[in-house]
Amino acid sequence: MGKEFPDGACMVFGGSGGIGQGVALEFGKAGSDVAVCYRSKQDVAERTAEAIRAAGARASIHQVDVRDRASLDACIAAAAAEHGRIHSMVWGAGPLVGQTPLAEWTEEAFRNAMETEAFGFYNAARALIPHMRANGGGSFVHLGSAGHDWYPKLDGLSVVPKAANEALIKGIAKEEGEHNIRANSVLVGVIDAGMFHELSEQGVFGDEWIAETHKLLCLRRWGQPEDIGAAAVFFASNRASYVTGQTISVSGGFGV
């Protein structure tokens, strides 16, 4: 059986988040080194790295503010120096967003969402594309939103910036394929972790919302971080070496 991944590491931005932790660990279980990128939760990033090491893979942690181009460049340079090569990048960085009508968004909230998710992804891609070209190729995996296919009312601060990244994924796939660089997207549904837990604790997602949303799931269960991780691992692995510019909706059949 061949190797799942080239030598080097997968960089997971948002690796200390509820979903990002699970994604990073799935890469470790699949045999890839992992560079866990975090903004403020160093303790969570370190625990995630320890779990990856326990699974038999190498792991490093890297603090970064993805809104800052210099911080991103330094983070990527440090991860490349640590692991020798970055073979894949998973983009899961994003702010906690409430359920707010579009007409009531503040400029600050919209700007923060775009700078974190869209500008952040763009700047990370700008830094990594030359690295991947020089090292025989690579893979980008964007953790998008199932709302890209079936727009969930009030969730625009999450869906809109991710939609910009869906276009960037298509552009990378189209323009960088000749350099053996692939780009795909995992559309994320309601996952029993991270933002879902935080907003439920704040009362944003009440019992009625939870019950009505659950009815929209064909599989009648909430997704788990490892469900997202499995799709991301597939896209980044050699098993998907002829797959680019595509999306997988990991949503339990949400809104079908």
Side-chain angles (χ1 to χ4, degrees), residues 100-133:
T100 308
L102 187 151
E104 297 176 15
W105 293 356
T106 64
E107 182 177 341
E108 179 183 16
F110 185 42
R111 185 178 300 278
N112 184 50
M114 293 298 293
E115 288 184 350
T116 301
E117 299 203 49
F119 279 86
F121 176 77
Y122 168 73
N123 284 328
R126 276 282 303 272
L128 278 166
I129 285 172
H131 173 84
M132 290 181 177
R133 285 180 178 178

Side-chain angles (χ1 to χ4, degrees), residues 60 76 96 155 161 179 218 236 238 243 245 251:
S60 60
I76 290 168
L96 179 68
D155 200 32
H179 301 291
C218 298
N238 292 329
V243 179
S251 64

Side-chain angles (χ1 to χ4, degrees), residues 3-28:
K3 291 174 61 177
E4 289 277 7
F5 304 99
D7 292 336
C10 172
M11 289 193 78
V12 180
F13 287 93
S16 63
I19 295 174
Q21 296 172 60
V23 171
L25 182 55
E26 289 302 305
F27 273 90

Side-chain angles (χ1 to χ4, degrees), residues 161-250:
K162 291 179 174 66
N165 287 350
E166 297 302 333
L168 287 169
I169 285 289
K170 295 288 188 182
I172 294 169
K174 182 74 74 173
E175 297 178 6
E176 296 300 324
E178 63 187 276
H179 301 291
N180 197 33
I181 297 173
R182 300 181 296 107
N184 296 286
S185 188
V186 178
L187 303 183
V188 179
V190 181
I191 304 300
D192 191 16
M195 190 176 299
F196 181 45
H197 287 179
E198 292 184 57
L199 294 180
S200 295
E201 290 173 2
Q202 294 177 16
V204 175
F205 297 148
D207 292 341
E208 182 179 354
W209 184 95
I210 291 172
E212 290 302 313
T213 301
H214 200 271
K215 291 178 183 177
L216 296 173
L217 303 177
C218 298
L219 295 182
R220 294 297 189 266
R221 70 170 178 87
W222 301 123
Q224 300 298 318
E226 53 265 34
D227 293 319
I228 305 303
V233 165
F234 168 73
F235 270 146
S237 73
N238 292 329
R239 288 175 290 166
S241 63
Y242 200 57
V243 179
T244 193
Q246 305 303 310
T247 62
I248 293 178
S249 185
V250 183

